[in-house]
Amino acid sequence: MRSTTFCSSLIFSKLSSKLALSVLCVLSLSACQSQDADSQNQALTAERTQTIEALAGVPMQQLATFDPQEIKQGGDTGIKITSSESYSMPSSNLTASRKGNFFIGNAFFKQPWVIAPASTDSRDGLGALFNVAACQSCHIKDGRGHAPMTSDSDADSLLIRLAMPATTDAQRQQLQNSLIEKVVHPIYGGQLQDRGIQGVPAEARIKIQWTDKPVTFADGHIETLRAPTFHLTNPGYGAFDDELMISPRIALPMIGLGLLDQIPDDDIKKQAVNNHKKADNSGNLIRGKFNLAMDPQTGKVGLGRFGWKAGQTKLLTQNQSAFNEDMGLTSSIRPHESCMPAQTACLKATPGADEQGNGKPAVEVSDDVAKFVEFYTRNLAVPHRRHADDKLVLAGKKRFYDMGCQSCHTPRYQLPKTKDDNLEQHGQVIYPYTDLLLHDMGDDLADRTIAGKLPPKNVQVEFLANSYEWRTPALWGIGLAQTVDAQATFLHDGRARTLMEAVLWHGGEAAKQREQVLQLDKKGRAELTAFLQSL
């Protein structure tokens, strides 16, 4: 990669010329080389470049250099706070009359639920099988989770999703049409719950084993990655089947979800269409695809955009699915306890369901509580970027674009003004750095069976997604992840302790970008890291 300080070696006879050139270099890192605009486009197909520019409303060259508007990654909803509370603040454009709903939702998100029966009617019904007692137990300070640090550590902010391969034509047809999320295990269901209330055995305990994996850069620098192996021990309801597929997942950060929810379906789908058509000039195909998921509220199939595999269509269903599977709480959308038929002690446990009136079913999470929590999760603000105009950061940004990372991490969207009540998000210009599509990330990041084998790529594990495919995560706020929680880790299973480690685990469709990163020298690595830390 060419150094971004190439202007310094030029000699001019007049001071005015020096000053003029200096200004140009500050404003645009490519001012001293006319080929730079072309080099950015060469990292992507012309079609993909056009799509990104159409979504952004500005040319790629503006995206790749200093853009003052990008400091406000979340548009007018964003905040300037850079502390451990950076992920926990309301949208800055939230009016006083609407802030009450935010703080009520925060209370239900933060406080633990208790076992029924209890005097706290609005918060009882935990379990009988569950992972955590409060949303904040996974989303620490509204941020990302982490993998267990040792084999004896609890997996508080990591859970294990489960799936079985389809064995009948009917199951395969349902999966192809997104009528079911997955084929669940007949005894353990679709998510492992490693805790149970008194008298109800937990399904298993999650153990993790780490193996060092050194990776060497072209200049000889060695970065030591850590590869996880997950084990499920002490099964509470019988042995696991060897073909059971396990998917470890840490909690995702909660910021900016309302903004992602407002990106039009067509803006996401058109990126998949364009990505499918051509390879880039190296022959490496970026094959992003969108997931289609059954909406449990409407009974209709819609575009998936939330979760590690884009298996949830909207925030309301995402939240209520988490209430049900993570905490064992029922709601109007998920009215049944998270117990499988063979788990009799779970089925016999006392529920905490309360009548809602107006003919609504008795549930543990009322519709009112669900709406407050949805409002809260919709309005957690994205922190502003830091040092966006710093020379080192801009050099790293140029490398990011030159390598074609924006092919999956779509930088900018212009949100429409819709007819819904999500006023804070209407019409915002945002910089999430995600296409919200599924990408094959290679064997190293693929989920495996409990026996440690890679599943076939035609086996669906979450609607249309297979074990190798992951939704591109939004990068906004990622530089503050470990300010919010020092233990926060990266990638779906928390294996990456640093952002560079996360980059080096990229494979599959991102193998070309990973190889380019491995060519970076010490200066190049510092530049790329500085850019990512500025987000």
Side-chain angles (χ1 to χ4, degrees), residues 11 14 82 95 143 261 331 333 370 390 422 471-472 505 517:
I11 300 176
K14 295 182 180 180
T82 57
T95 61
D261 196 38
S331 62
I333 293 176
D390 181 83
N422 305 320
R471 188 205 65 166
T472 306
W505 276 111
V517 170

Side-chain angles (χ1 to χ4, degrees), residues 479-493:
L480 290 169
Q482 292 174 337
T483 299
V484 171
D485 176 25
Q487 296 187 87
T489 50
F490 307 98
L491 298 179
H492 65 279
D493 55 10

Side-chain angles (χ1 to χ4, degrees), residues 80-247:
K80 293 182 179 180
I81 296 174
T82 57
S83 69
S84 62
E85 301 301 317
S86 295
Y87 288 3
S88 299
M89 306 305 293
S91 300
S92 60
N93 60 350
L94 195 64
T95 61
S97 62
R98 289 163 69 88
K99 280 187 178 178
N101 292 343
F102 178 88
F103 290 113
I104 294 172
N106 179 30
F108 281 103
F109 192 89
K110 189 174 183 179
Q111 297 300 318
W113 291 69
V114 297
I115 300 169
S119 58
T120 311
D121 286 345
S122 62
R123 294 185 186 278
D124 68 346
L126 177 69
L129 288 166
F130 64 102
N131 297 108
V132 291
C135 304
Q136 283 266 357
S137 297
C138 282
H139 304 277
I140 302 164
K141 290 184 176 293
D142 303 293
R144 63 183 60 241
H146 59 268
M149 302 303 291
T150 69
S151 60
D152 295 324
S153 301
D154 289 330
D156 281 342
S157 56
L158 176 142
L159 54 80
I160 304 284
R161 301 280 284 165
L162 307 173
M164 294 291 289
T167 56
T168 68
D169 289 340
Q171 289 174 339
R172 283 185 278 271
Q173 190 65 44
Q174 287 177 308
L175 284 169
Q176 289 172 11
N177 294 327
S178 293
L179 299 178
I180 59 172
E181 176 188 348
K182 65 179 73 173
V183 177
V184 302
H185 190 275
I187 296 176
Y188 289 96
Q191 179 170 309
L192 187 85
Q193 289 153 330
D194 58 347
R195 289 185 172 96
I197 65 173
Q198 186 174 2
V200 180
E203 291 184 328
R205 182 168 175 79
I206 302 169
K207 295 281 189 178
I208 188 169
Q209 178 182 353
W210 297 107
T211 304
D212 286 348
K213 182 178 179 179
V215 175
T216 305
F217 284 79
D219 67 355
H221 172 74
I222 297 175
E223 194 85 21
T224 301
L225 310 183
R226 56 173 192 170
T229 302
F230 288 88
H231 304 280
L232 304 183
T233 64
N234 305 327
Y237 301 88
F240 297 106
D241 303 77
D242 284 347
E243 64 268 32
L244 176 65
M245 294 172 285
I246 63 171
S247 182

Side-chain angles (χ1 to χ4, degrees), residues 260-316:
L260 297 179
D261 196 38
Q262 290 292 108
I263 298 174
D265 287 2
D266 286 345
D267 285 358
I268 299 170
K269 290 181 176 180
K270 71 175 61 171
Q271 298 184 74
V273 170
N274 285 317
N275 281 351
H276 269 297
K277 288 184 178 179
K278 293 180 183 176
D280 60 28
N281 14 350
S282 73
N284 186 26
L285 185 66
I286 301 294
R287 301 179 296 274
K289 75 177 189 184
F290 54 83
N291 206 352
L292 293 174
M294 172 63 70
D295 185 326
Q297 184 180 32
T298 65
K300 297 180 180 180
V301 173
L303 180 73
R305 67 178 70 207
F306 295 113
W308 280 109
K309 290 188 183 288
Q312 295 289 342
T313 59
K314 57 192 180 187
L315 280 176
L316 186 65

Side-chain angles (χ1 to χ4, degrees), residues 324-481:
N324 189 251
E325 295 175 320
D326 300 358
M327 291 181 276
L329 300 170
T330 58
S331 62
S332 294
I333 293 176
R334 299 293 297 268
H336 304 294
E337 294 286 347
S338 57
C339 311
M340 295 299 289
Q343 296 170 336
T344 54
C346 181
L347 292 169
K348 291 178 180 178
T350 303
D354 297 312
E355 296 293 338
Q356 297 193 80
N358 299 321
K360 294 180 179 180
V363 292
E364 290 158 335
V365 180
S366 70
D367 288 352
D368 287 340
V369 169
K371 288 177 182 176
F372 284 127
V373 173
E374 181 195 18
F375 190 85
Y376 174 72
T377 58
R378 185 175 296 281
N379 281 289
L380 281 163
V382 176
H384 291 345
R385 285 189 62 191
R386 287 84 48 216
H387 315 298
D389 59 348
D390 181 83
K391 183 178 179 180
L392 192 68
V393 168
L394 289 172
K397 185 178 188 182
K398 182 178 184 299
R399 292 186 183 276
F400 183 92
Y401 278 79
D402 282 351
M403 290 187 291
C405 301
Q406 75 276 29
S407 186
C408 298
H409 291 281
T410 305
R412 168 172 153 152
Y413 295 86
Q414 300 179 96
L415 301 184
K417 292 185 177 181
T418 53
K419 295 181 180 180
D420 57 38
D421 188 46
N422 305 320
L423 307 179
E424 292 74 25
Q425 292 78 37
H426 285 178
Q428 299 299 324
V429 175
I430 62 172
Y431 294 78
Y433 283 90
T434 176
D435 58 9
L436 296 177
L437 296 177
L438 297 169
H439 293 275
D440 184 334
M441 296 301 292
D443 291 359
D444 283 343
L445 291 182
D447 289 329
R448 283 166 164 73
T449 68
I450 199 166
K453 295 182 179 180
L454 285 168
K457 289 192 175 183
N458 63 351
V459 175
Q460 295 167 228
V461 298
E462 190 166 334
F463 293 109
L464 302 182
N466 66 27
S467 294
Y468 302 76
E469 293 171 328
W470 302 99
R471 188 205 65 166
T472 306
L475 297 183
W476 52 14
I478 199 167
L480 290 169

